[in-house]
Amino acid sequence: MHSVKDTLSIGERVFNFFNVLFFFLFMFLCAYPFYYIFINTISDNQLSAMGEVLFIPKDIHFQNYKQILEIPNITNAFIISVARTVIGTTLTVLCSGFLGFMMTQQKMTGRKFVYRFIISTMYVSAGTIPVYMLFNYLGLLDNFLVYVIPGMVSAYNIVLVKTYIESSIPSSLQESAEMDGAGIITMFFKIALPLMVPILATLAIFSAVGQWNSFMDTVIYVTREDLHTLQYVLYRYLTQSTALANEINSGNISIDQVAATAQTAQSVKLTVTMMVVLPIFAIYPFFQRFFVKGITIGAVKG
């Protein structure tokens, strides 16, 4: 019995070989930058600064990570970042999912007007100063809620959910539930929500990455140190390290005076990068199987 491989022509085998080779190269190009950053964070900082660490770490140490973990207020900042990511992502998924579901309800009064109004917010923005004044009026300045409330509803997310429901969930399910006496809340949580897992997982990835990486809202709206996020604390540390490196390079400070910091002034940028992206790397594999399905369903009709 001949295998599929034996039936392939020479041309098909050559094509498959170069096809696999191309995707291996593509995978390498995607993965190498993160690998490069990691090996430079655990290698001798002097060798790293001279560009001698390319594929294999040299003189391995973990002093860079130890220094970052010793930054004052780093533990509290980590808790704040985790809290805003978990709470903000949960509220974003629920609110965007429910509003997207409501935009598919033909019986909803003023549905088209509300939907068009939501879409218009994608193109019209008041600007930073009016938003700051609004947050001040609402009491959101120096308040943890400033991290989660503004991102609860997103026009783009609502469009994704609405398109997904219209293309993937039969209207007959809702009609059957209505005949059995189910209300809007019941239909959403017991019928629509379980069938919306792929698109909701996609929204969760978008929201979690945005919440975790955000620090400008801390810069603009928060002055209390106990509400500073991990990214903001690392940003300040990065700025201070860069300034110190400039002082060393200009000769105003000797390397002997700040040996440990001088050695990590450049590599701290890479260490900060790894500290920020590692949590996202940790959770992404759990959502990956939903991501492609959620973002492509509804793209093709028929």
Side-chain angles (χ1 to χ4, degrees):
M1 187 174 181
H2 297 286
S3 63
V4 176
K5 183 177 180 181
D6 295 333
T7 61
L8 296 178
S9 65
I10 296 178
E12 290 173 328
R13 293 181 182 180
V14 171
F15 173 78
N16 288 341
F17 171 78
F18 283 103
N19 195 32
V20 172
L21 179 63
F22 169 77
F23 280 106
F24 266 110
L25 291 175
F26 183 75
M27 180 184 67
F28 173 78
L29 291 176
C30 293
Y32 177 73
F34 297 101
Y35 173 74
Y36 173 82
I37 292 173
F38 176 70
I39 62 175
N40 274 271
T41 60
I42 62 175
S43 298
D44 182 274
N45 293 317
Q46 289 296 103
L47 296 177
S48 175
M50 293 185 290
E52 296 185 8
V53 181
L54 297 177
F55 296 101
I56 301 175
K58 300 180 180 180
D59 298 335
I60 296 177
H61 70 92
F62 296 93
Q63 191 67 22
N64 295 335
Y65 292 98
K66 181 181 178 181
Q67 288 185 352
I68 285 187
L69 293 176
E70 291 175 351
I71 298 175
N73 201 36
I74 192 72
T75 303
N76 181 74
F78 177 79
I79 294 174
I80 292 296
S81 288
V82 171
R84 71 169 294 180
T85 300
V86 173
I87 298 174
T89 299
T90 302
L91 292 177
T92 297
V93 169
L94 287 177
C95 293
S96 297
F98 182 73
L99 287 175
F101 171 74
M102 291 302 299
M103 292 302 103
T104 65
Q105 303 303 300
Q106 300 294 332
K107 297 180 180 180
M108 175 181 170
T109 304
R111 179 180 65 90
K112 292 184 178 180
F113 171 78
V114 173
Y115 183 65
R116 289 170 182 170
F117 178 80
I118 292 174
I119 295 298
S120 68
T121 63
M122 298 176 64
Y123 307 99
V124 180
S125 175
T128 303
I129 295 178
V131 171
Y132 181 90
M133 295 173 63
L134 175 63
F135 287 177
N136 184 36
Y137 176 77
L138 296 176
L140 293 179
L141 299 185
D142 282 333
N143 191 326
F144 177 80
L145 295 178
V146 77
Y147 292 140
V148 296
I149 289 181
M152 286 175 56
V153 177
S154 167
Y156 179 70
N157 292 346
I158 293 173
V159 172
L160 288 181
V161 174
K162 178 178 181 294
T163 304
Y164 179 89
I165 293 175
E166 291 176 341
S167 62
S168 305
I169 301 179
S171 58
S172 58
L173 288 177
Q174 179 174 327
E175 294 171 358
S176 300
E178 289 178 342
M179 292 178 63
D180 293 336
I184 290 294
I185 301 299
T186 301
M187 286 189 293
F188 173 71
F189 282 101
K190 293 189 176 181
I191 297 178
L193 197 61
L195 299 176
M196 292 162 54
V197 171
I199 190 62
L200 295 183
T202 302
L203 299 186
I205 292 176
F206 288 160
S207 177
V209 172
Q211 288 280 8
W212 181 259
N213 291 332
S214 178
F215 72 93
M216 282 305 300
D217 46 7
T218 305
V219 175
I220 299 174
Y221 307 122
V222 177
T223 58
R224 288 170 48 187
E225 289 194 5
D226 60 327
L227 290 179
H228 286 173
T229 60
L230 177 64
Q231 282 66 28
Y232 178 72
V233 173
L234 295 178
Y235 167 75
R236 288 197 311 175
Y237 181 66
L238 174 62
T239 304
Q240 293 169 1
S241 298
T242 303
L244 183 58
N246 293 333
E247 289 289 317
I248 295 170
N249 293 331
S250 64
N252 295 332
I253 302 178
S254 68
I255 295 180
D256 293 334
Q257 289 176 306
V258 285
T261 309
Q263 291 173 358
T264 61
Q266 179 175 340
S267 61
V268 70
K269 298 178 182 179
L270 304 180
T271 309
V272 166
T273 301
M274 287 304 302
M275 291 287 290
V276 170
V277 302
L278 278 177
I280 300 300
F281 278 159
I283 67 171
Y284 183 79
F286 298 100
F287 292 91
Q288 184 180 12
R289 63 193 183 98
F290 300 112
F291 184 76
V292 175
K293 181 179 179 182
I295 202 66
T296 57
I297 284 183
V300 179
K301 299 286 185 178

